[in-house]
Amino acid sequence: MSSPHTSATALLWAVAFIGCQSHSPESAQQRPNVLFLAIDDLNDWIGVAGGHPQAQTPNLDRLVSQSVYFRNAHTAAPVCSASRRALLSGLRPSTTGWYTNSSKNPEVYARILGHTVPLPTHFKRNGYRTMAAGKIFHSGTSDVEGYDYWHETRPKYRWPEELAARGHGYQGRNGGHFHPFPPDGGAIYQKYQKGVDGQSLCWGALEDEDMPPEGMPDEQIAGWAVDRLRQEHDEPFFLAVGFVRPHVPYTAPKEFFDLYPLDEIAMPNVPGDEMDDIPLLGKAMAYGTIQGGDHRNVLDIGPGYWREMVRAYLACVSFVDAQAGKVLDALEQSPYADNTIVVFWSDHGQHLGEKRHWRKQALWEESTQVPLAIRLPGSRNGGKVSHQPASLLDVYPTLVELAELPAVPGLEGTSLLPQLTDPSAPRALPAVTTWHYDNHSVRDLHYRYIRYRDGTEELYDHRSDPEEHANLAIDPQFAYVKAGLAAFLPTANKMPQSIKDGGLDSLGRKVQMLREEGVPEWLGTVPGAPGPR
């Protein structure tokens, strides 16, 4: 079955190839290759996105200058596994019940997918050679062993025993791709001497002896991808490259920390009353996972630790930019340069203290917004920006159209082809993000609307308040805005697999804790309550 927009697609390709400097006369007639470039936990702290004024990302900036950049793109779920499963299945978390990082076996996976097929599988079944390295799904190149995704994948990492031992709670998880950790475990780990929760919010500027001889995981991933781009391919390829940084721990070679003098770091703007108008479920999301709360722990370590964490995140961003640059350079030097679609995306954003939050796993802009750029062959419309809302769910149907593959039934995203053809083209659909069962955010061109499962709300006007400091939800003059955005909330929410003791998921248990123990002062007052207890 042909794509419903075949004629539009054909026109786009025809325009794209006009004036294209092809390496061979035949290359313009070939089906397009796809370089699927994923960077974990990357917010808008890249140069062209302007999220942080000091971010140094020359390679990603160059890619964006050749692409259509979707400045208002958002994840379907602000956590690694659920976001990636949504993108790669084309289905909302509220449809599948995949709200968190919990794993599913092949039987459950196949039953939930129904008539849809995963994105790489669809390319594989339609004549593409599919290859993958690094973090594509949460656990690497596959979350479900034996599923029909790839012709070839990079083997898991091998770690020297002394470096693997530093992982403390992370040791052996996800094939070790979050390693290496700081030699001393990091400041938060030193405070608690415990595993994953404390180890996750740490940083380290690594010396040569702190890294494996083969290099950091992202360096190994880049090397593997470069090698594949140097090979001859007789069939079109779908090459998925998943970099791990800037995911915690914030470790990278010392040279990337040296790019950012500590005393010059620009810090996030966090007003003193930042959390006073946030409902209880929002406060529970901001609380984090470390005993006493993530933000409280960061502040307790010392007055400079917040600044050190911001610097470390920037260092990791510049480090992964350098690795992405190796792959992009290899593509440009290959015979495939003029016939390859490049899709650059991240699975979700990351808070660095905004809303007194230190992770993704929330429904505010820092968690939901993602960089998304699509470079067409010939760099058609390169450097142009679409400000219309877009979702990572839209990537699957967009690639199906661009590659002119058979349509896939049941996909819940909408193709971005109109914006690739004309970046100023309007888009009526907002982007919906879901975190845990029945908590949703709706983001359109101007507003963000959040409704938690207890009915409490937040509303922000991005024209006057891009940092989302003033919750307008109780202002009656915005009732019509809330009603319009609420129409896009999912009407069916599949029960999660992760409900445990007491019939609560982890968010529900956190809310219960705050109700029983009281909201700490650093999380602000509770709307409608007399103040922090």
Side-chain angles (χ1 to χ4, degrees):
M1 183 171 62
S2 63
S3 165
H5 298 285
T6 300
S7 60
T9 306
L11 176 62
L12 178 65
W13 281 107
V15 176
F17 283 116
I18 292 175
C20 181
Q21 295 180 355
S22 176
H23 285 276
S24 66
E26 297 80 19
S27 65
Q29 307 304 318
Q30 298 171 356
R31 300 173 71 186
N33 306 300
V34 177
L35 174 59
F36 196 63
L37 186 64
I39 296 182
D40 203 13
D41 286 27
L42 180 62
N43 58 22
D44 62 354
W45 288 19
I46 58 175
V48 294
H52 194 285
Q54 296 165 314
Q56 299 181 45
T57 54
N59 297 291
L60 294 175
D61 292 351
R62 172 166 50 96
L63 173 61
V64 171
S65 74
Q66 302 165 351
S67 309
V68 175
Y69 186 69
F70 294 86
R71 188 175 292 278
N72 194 10
H74 299 269
T75 183
V79 70
C80 300
S81 182
S83 171
R84 291 164 185 268
R85 283 178 175 151
L87 188 160
L88 293 163
S89 70
L91 302 176
R92 297 179 183 275
S94 53
T95 298
T96 64
W98 297 336
Y99 296 108
T100 65
N101 281 339
S102 60
S103 61
K104 300 290 185 294
N105 61 45
E107 292 76 19
V108 173
Y109 188 77
R111 184 170 68 250
I112 293 175
L113 283 179
H115 294 295
T116 66
V117 294
L119 171 59
T121 303
H122 192 52
F123 273 80
K124 185 178 182 183
R125 291 177 181 176
N126 284 278
Y128 275 75
R129 177 168 180 79
T130 57
M131 303 172 284
K135 188 175 178 183
I136 303 302
F137 290 87
H138 180 54
S139 295
T141 54
S142 174
D143 273 356
V144 183
E145 292 300 329
Y147 210 87
D148 185 28
Y149 298 130
W150 316 107
H151 288 97
E152 182 183 12
T153 61
R154 188 194 179 281
K156 291 188 179 295
Y157 316 98
R158 296 180 179 179
W159 287 94
E161 184 175 344
E162 66 276 11
L163 295 183
R166 295 178 183 173
H168 304 293
Y170 274 110
Q171 188 172 354
R173 292 158 53 101
N174 300 308
H177 59 208
F178 293 134
H179 287 59
F181 285 80
D184 62 358
I188 287 182
Y189 175 77
Q190 289 293 317
K191 178 179 178 181
Y192 284 104
Q193 289 291 301
K194 59 190 291 189
V196 172
D197 286 350
Q199 189 76 350
S200 58
L201 292 184
C202 63
W203 66 271
L206 302 178
E207 304 288 352
D208 289 346
E209 60 269 22
D210 299 323
M211 297 175 281
E214 298 83 5
M216 295 278 284
D218 285 339
E219 293 176 297
Q220 298 179 41
I221 293 166
W224 190 92
V226 167
D227 182 68
R228 272 40 190 188
L229 288 168
R230 290 173 177 170
Q231 295 176 2
E232 292 186 10
H233 300 283
D234 296 328
E235 52 192 348
F237 61 77
F238 183 101
L239 175 59
V241 183
F243 292 115
V244 179
R245 290 296 182 267
H247 190 287
V248 293
Y250 298 145
T251 61
K254 182 178 180 297
E255 64 187 273
F256 294 95
F257 283 78
D258 293 341
L259 296 174
Y260 301 99
L262 181 61
D263 58 355
E264 299 176 10
I265 295 295
M267 297 293 289
N269 175 31
V270 183
D273 60 352
E274 176 78 296
M275 301 299 291
D276 287 354
D277 56 5
I278 303 300
L280 188 61
L281 267 82
K283 294 181 190 297
M285 292 179 184
Y287 185 89
T289 63
I290 303 176
Q291 180 182 358
D294 291 349
H295 191 63
R296 181 72 267 163
N297 279 272
V298 168
L299 296 179
D300 285 350
I301 286 174
Y305 194 64
W306 190 344
R307 182 176 299 273
E308 290 171 352
M309 290 282 283
V310 171
R311 178 203 191 198
Y313 184 85
L314 286 166
C316 289
V317 170
S318 290
F319 164 71
V320 79
D321 174 80
Q323 310 320 308
K326 297 174 185 177
V327 178
L328 295 171
D329 287 346
L331 175 62
E332 290 303 313
Q333 296 162 11
S334 76
Y336 316 110
D338 296 328
N339 194 34
T340 298
I341 301 164
V342 181
V343 181
F344 157 46
W345 59 280
S346 181
D347 48 358
H348 45 68
Q350 176 75 12
H351 285 249
L352 273 296
E354 303 93 343
K355 284 286 192 292
R356 302 184 192 172
H357 185 42
W358 282 92
R359 302 181 190 270
K360 43 271 188 176
Q361 302 170 355
L363 293 172
W364 302 301
E365 188 83 357
E366 289 82 7
S367 283
T368 75
Q369 188 185 38
V370 295
L372 175 62
I374 300 177
R375 196 199 78 176
L376 299 172
S379 296
R380 168 67 175 163
N381 285 327
K384 293 188 177 180
V385 176
S386 170
H387 296 276
Q388 299 297 316
S391 169
L392 289 183
L393 288 169
D394 303 332
V395 170
Y396 193 164
T398 301
L399 284 175
V400 167
E401 287 201 342
L402 289 175
E404 299 191 20
L405 301 186
V408 177
L411 298 183
E412 296 183 300
T414 302
S415 174
L416 297 170
L417 185 61
Q419 285 70 43
L420 290 173
T421 307
D422 176 8
S424 65
R427 182 175 168 89
L429 294 174
V432 177
T433 301
T434 300
W435 176 227
H436 279 282
Y437 172 73
D438 202 15
N439 304 291
H440 308 287
S441 170
V442 184
R443 181 71 160 86
D444 70 359
L445 185 60
H446 299 308
Y447 293 96
R448 173 182 301 282
Y449 173 63
I450 298 173
R451 182 187 290 176
Y452 299 103
R453 62 190 180 211
D454 64 355
T456 54
E457 302 170 306
E458 297 176 43
L459 179 71
Y460 302 98
D461 186 342
H462 272 253
R463 292 168 297 184
S464 58
D465 183 23
E467 295 181 330
E468 298 184 345
H469 295 314
N471 181 7
L472 304 173
I474 63 172
D475 190 332
Q477 69 174 313
F478 292 99
Y480 76 98
V481 175
K482 292 194 301 180
L485 294 174
F488 294 96
L489 292 170
T491 56
N493 292 274
K494 185 177 180 65
M495 291 299 294
Q497 302 288 328
S498 57
I499 286 182
K500 296 180 181 178
D501 53 297
L504 297 173
D505 58 16
S506 61
L507 175 63
R509 292 193 294 275
K510 204 175 297 180
V511 170
Q512 187 178 61
M513 177 201 71
L514 291 177
R515 283 176 175 155
E516 293 174 353
E517 300 179 6
V519 175
E521 186 174 359
W522 63 270
L523 269 178
T525 60
V526 179
R533 292 169 284 177

